[in-house]
């Protein structure tokens, strides 16, 4: 029997790397769409695309089981005009072109999963957002106007728009927006090694008030959830990819200190974070927005998390990190 094929558009980064390993291990054929293909030592095939226009790469979609679009310029940068444009365009243009390519397929993929973000939901210290929440306004305190705008445009490109028209021409392809929270893993671009380093330096205290919520998911559960969604024919629309137990920033940093056996962690006030973010060329919104999001649809469909608690997830990553060194 021919193996199932999965296309990972923008799959050369952190999450694409994890999914490529995961689906290769399951015996799937894995194709990564990238602007700079490289030769690899594993079975994964890299195919060139420009993330903007339909080209030869689109043939890879014929007969594929799934396409996952992970493309996006990193948000870990200063939000100046150039970076804002790249952040927005890389997400919206890649989403549009995947849709256009699927529309031209004779045998389109059964399912199209497109990255989105848990940041789409409103900054909150109140009850958690599941997918039924319609609260998506930005809040000045969270400085999240741009991120929310990007998240909404990204999902519009997936569900509604194509060439300015409603995207109703993909009757055979189920569409899912992956509203992904912070993915905890060991790969390049994962935030876990950064938090670990801060903790080692004695800087593992609360950041800002420490009351803001952090939604997260272990990289293994991220991959398992993607496989689960591909298999669930009734799951379409937005799906939150996050563990069921978000925690506050103070609890998160305290948990890291415990796991690292650090007796103290100096807190960082908001002004220190602003200063640090300026010198590190990043934005404090990534730390200060309160993201309290739960995986309503994954749980309702019967998905079982391997890592439900932050401490368990971090202990697992820590063990693997130590085994590597
Ligand atoms: N990691 C997380 O915790 C997390 C959480 C929520 C949402 N997400 C979203 O999930 C997606 C994947 O995340 P990730 O951590 O794997 O990101 P990543 O490591 O930065 O990889 C993203 C990929 O996008 C491509 N890309 C970057 N800039 C681009 C541009 N200007 N134009 C076209 N393509 C560009 C790159 O591929 P090539 O250079 O090879 O073309 C890159 O490998 C992103 O959209 C991210 O916003 C991630």
């Amino acid at each position: 029997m021919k193996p199932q094929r999965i296309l990972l558009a923008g799959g050369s980064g952190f999450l694409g790397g994890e999914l490529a390993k995961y689906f290769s291990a399951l015996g799937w054929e894995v194709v990564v769409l990238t602007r700079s293909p490289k030769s690899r030592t594993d079975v994964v095939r890299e195919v060139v695309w420009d993330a903007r226009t339909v080209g030869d790469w689109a043939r890879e979609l014929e007969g594929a089981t799934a396409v996952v679009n992970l493309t996006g310029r990193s948000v870990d940068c200063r939000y100046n005009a150039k970076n804002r444009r790249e952040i927005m365009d890389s997400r919206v243009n890649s989403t549009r072109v995947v849709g256009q390519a699927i529309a031209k397929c004779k045998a389109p993929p059964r399912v199209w999963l497109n990255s989105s973000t848990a940041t789409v939901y409103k900054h909150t210290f109140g009850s958690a957002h599941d997918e039924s929440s319609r609260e998506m306004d930005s809040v000045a305190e969270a400085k999240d106007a741009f991120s929310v705008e990007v998240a909404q445009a990204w999902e519009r490109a997936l569900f509604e728009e194509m060439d300015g028209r409603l995207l109703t021409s993909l009757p055979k392809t189920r569409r899912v927006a992956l509203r992904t929270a912070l993915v905890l893993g060991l790969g390049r671009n994962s935030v876990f090694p950064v938090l670990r380093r801060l903790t080692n330096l004695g800087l593992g205290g609360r950041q800002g008030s420490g009351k803001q919520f952090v939604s997260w998911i272990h990289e293994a559960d991220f991959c398992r959830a993607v496989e689960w969604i591909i298999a669930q024919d009734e799951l379409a629309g937005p799906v939150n990819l996050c563990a069921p137990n978000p925690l506050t920033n103070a609890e998160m940093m305290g948990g890291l200190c415990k796991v690292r056996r650090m007796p103290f962690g100096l807190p960082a006030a908001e002004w220190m974070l602003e200063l640090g973010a300026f010198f590190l060329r990043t934005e404090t919104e990534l730390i200060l927005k309160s993201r309290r999001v739960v995986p309503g649809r994954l749980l309702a469909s019967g998905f079982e998390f391997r890592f439900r608690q932050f401490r368990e997830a971090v202990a697992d990553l820590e063990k693997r990190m130590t085994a590597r060194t």
Side-chain angles (χ1 to χ4, degrees):
M1 220 170 69
K2 257 181 107 181
Q4 304 199 68
R5 188 181 332 128
I6 184 167
L7 253 72
L8 303 175
S12 60
F14 167 41
L15 298 183
E18 292 310 312
L19 289 176
K21 273 187 272 171
Y22 184 85
F23 281 92
S24 302
L26 292 178
W28 287 47
E29 179 189 354
V30 179
V31 179
V32 165
L33 301 182
T34 164
R35 293 166 303 162
S36 336
K38 292 173 285 303
S39 57
R40 308 176 54 133
T41 50
D42 57 13
V43 293
V44 175
R45 212 152 40 83
E46 297 202 350
V47 170
V48 69
W49 79 330
D50 65 3
R52 281 184 286 126
T53 45
V54 178
D56 288 349
W57 60 268
R59 274 189 247 139
E60 302 287 344
L61 287 167
E62 290 288 351
T65 302
V67 54
V68 187
N69 179 23
L70 300 156
T71 307
R73 190 232 186 274
S74 171
V75 293
D76 185 11
C77 58
R78 291 300 277 185
Y79 292 171
N80 57 34
K82 176 174 173 287
N83 290 343
R84 277 173 193 252
R85 199 166 43 248
E86 285 180 14
I87 288 170
M88 180 69 94
D89 289 354
S90 56
R91 286 169 174 76
V92 170
N93 293 342
S94 63
T95 305
R96 284 198 181 131
V97 80
V98 168
Q100 287 161 2
I102 292 175
K104 290 186 177 159
C105 279
K106 290 193 184 72
R110 277 210 326 265
V111 54
W112 168 17
L113 281 64
N114 207 78
S115 267
S116 174
T117 166
T119 291
V120 74
Y121 296 111
K122 193 170 177 177
H123 171 76
T124 182
F125 297 96
S127 53
H129 298 288
D130 66 12
E131 294 86 345
S132 65
S133 169
R134 294 285 164 265
E135 289 185 70
M136 292 182 187
D137 317 313
S138 56
V139 171
E141 179 195 2
K143 300 185 183 158
D144 62 346
F146 174 62
S147 315
V148 171
E149 190 192 326
V150 170
Q152 292 181 350
W154 210 355
E155 291 198 5
R156 259 197 322 273
L158 170 65
F159 291 122
E160 293 176 11
E161 279 178 28
M162 196 160 87
D163 304 329
R165 286 174 290 118
L166 283 189
L167 187 51
T168 50
S169 53
L170 304 179
K172 295 187 184 150
T173 304
R174 178 162 53 90
R175 276 169 279 167
V176 178
L178 304 175
R179 290 184 177 164
T180 309
L182 192 67
V183 183
L184 299 176
L186 301 182
R188 189 173 50 92
N189 297 349
S190 166
V191 79
F192 174 71
V194 179
L195 292 174
R196 191 177 185 265
R197 227 171 297 135
L198 281 179
T199 313
N200 288 350
L201 292 169
L203 299 173
R206 64 170 194 277
Q207 296 162 321
S209 74
K211 291 183 184 147
Q212 69 277 30
F213 280 86
V214 182
S215 291
W216 58 276
I217 184 168
H218 187 290
E219 60 184 4
D221 279 333
F222 172 81
C223 294
R224 292 174 62 248
V226 167
E227 184 194 3
W228 176 264
I229 294 167
I230 290 173
Q232 307 298 308
D233 286 337
E234 74 289 356
L235 271 182
V239 176
N240 295 346
L241 259 65
C242 53
N245 297 300
L247 73 179
T248 65
N249 172 276
E251 288 165 344
M252 175 178 85
M253 298 312 287
L256 278 164
C257 285
K258 263 231 159 79
V259 171
R260 296 290 307 142
R261 296 203 178 86
M262 264 311 272
F264 68 93
L266 294 177
E270 213 166 300
W271 68 266
M272 293 179 190
L273 295 172
E274 288 293 351
L275 201 64
F278 177 78
F279 286 111
L280 295 171
R281 314 310 296 155
T282 188
E283 292 284 341
T284 50
E285 178 234 331
L286 302 176
I287 296 173
L288 297 178
K289 176 164 178 178
S290 188
R291 300 170 176 89
R292 193 173 195 181
V293 181
V294 287
R297 299 192 70 199
L298 277 179
L299 291 175
S301 64
F303 181 74
E304 288 182 14
F305 283 85
R306 197 169 283 161
F307 299 96
R308 296 178 69 92
Q309 303 293 343
F310 181 77
R311 287 270 184 93
E312 298 163 3
V314 166
D316 173 76
L317 294 174
E318 190 59 39
K319 203 165 73 200
R320 285 168 43 210
M321 193 107 172
T322 316
R324 272 187 184 185
T325 49

